[in-house]
Amino acid sequence: MSLFGDGLDAAVQKAFTRPAPKNAGPQMRYLVKQLKGTKAVAQMLRISQRTVERYVKDQIKKPRPDLAARLEAEVKKRWQPQIRAQARQKAATTGGIVIDTRARIGYTAPIGTTDEDRLRHLTVALPPQYAARLFDAQEQGASDQQLQQIAAEALKEVYFQDNGRRAGQLESVRFTGIEHLEFDL
């Protein structure tokens, strides 16, 4: 499970104008339409083509739990791509992104400072350039660790250094023990 990647996806999904299909039949019909055929959907979901056809015709209504999870994930990944792109573009150019986290956060600083990890609950509005970096890294397939590092850099600049007004000697910020993480556009 990718905590940062899933959090970014959830933030973008809040911008959807219509809810994604909830039941197996409409979800399967949507995927067949998107992928232009039952064979491609069957290969993607790792089920038989005949099973896909049965879902499309509503002959089967309730999928197994593992199939239901894969089906829902694939539909959400493809649902309203233009709205998703607009939300990402807006966050990356004008709106920025809000991070709400409860985690152990520490930092590296010169000798004589208390740089021990402390449990903090932060809700910080990050500027658009960090939203752009997060979304670009996610699109390029960055690992959760890389997304976490970008978020830590953003918190260092915005929260700890207050955009250059304090803590100038602060070298880096680190996340450990994340209890809660949520993004909002």
Side-chain angles (χ1 to χ4, degrees):
M1 181 176 92
S2 170
L3 191 63
F4 281 80
D6 292 346
L8 289 170
D9 286 339
V12 171
Q13 288 173 5
K14 291 176 187 173
F16 287 168
T17 57
R18 291 180 299 137
K22 299 273 188 242
N23 298 330
Q27 287 176 335
M28 201 65 79
R29 286 190 284 277
Y30 175 75
L31 287 176
V32 168
K33 186 176 180 183
Q34 290 295 306
L35 298 176
K36 297 177 178 38
T38 56
K39 187 174 185 178
V41 174
Q43 289 173 344
M44 178 186 63
L45 294 174
R46 300 184 306 274
I47 57 177
S48 72
Q49 185 174 354
R50 182 67 186 126
T51 303
V52 172
E53 292 167 359
R54 286 182 178 144
Y55 278 109
V56 168
K57 293 179 183 176
D58 281 330
Q59 292 174 345
I60 306 176
K61 298 205 185 268
K62 186 131 175 72
R64 304 181 311 269
D66 62 323
L67 176 60
R70 287 195 313 262
L71 188 58
E72 184 176 355
E74 292 298 331
V75 168
K76 282 189 175 179
K77 190 176 5 176
R78 290 170 174 75
W79 189 249
Q80 292 190 332
Q82 293 171 331
I83 304 268
R84 183 185 306 266
Q86 288 171 356
R88 286 178 178 223
Q89 183 66 29
K90 182 180 177 200
T93 55
T94 57
I97 194 167
V98 175
I99 182 172
D100 178 41
T101 185
R102 181 170 165 80
R104 293 190 98 39
I105 299 176
Y107 50 88
T108 308
I111 306 269
T113 59
T114 58
D115 60 353
E116 195 170 309
D117 293 358
R118 288 191 345 213
L119 188 62
R120 301 173 193 254
H121 183 202
L122 302 176
T123 302
V124 180
L126 303 178
Q129 67 262 26
Y130 285 108
R133 284 184 60 196
L134 282 167
F135 286 131
D136 289 345
Q138 184 187 27
E139 272 183 33
Q140 294 169 1
S143 69
D144 212 40
Q145 185 65 34
Q146 293 167 316
L147 294 172
Q148 182 175 334
Q149 185 60 39
I150 294 169
E153 288 174 29
L155 287 176
K156 172 189 161 197
E157 183 180 319
V158 175
Y159 178 76
F160 288 102
Q161 292 183 328
D162 197 17
N163 294 320
R165 291 192 277 275
R166 63 177 181 193
Q169 305 93 344
L170 192 65
E171 295 167 15
S172 68
V173 171
R174 65 185 173 274
F175 274 102
T176 56
I178 299 171
E179 292 179 7
H180 167 75
L181 177 74
E182 188 175 332
F183 291 99
D184 201 5
L185 302 179

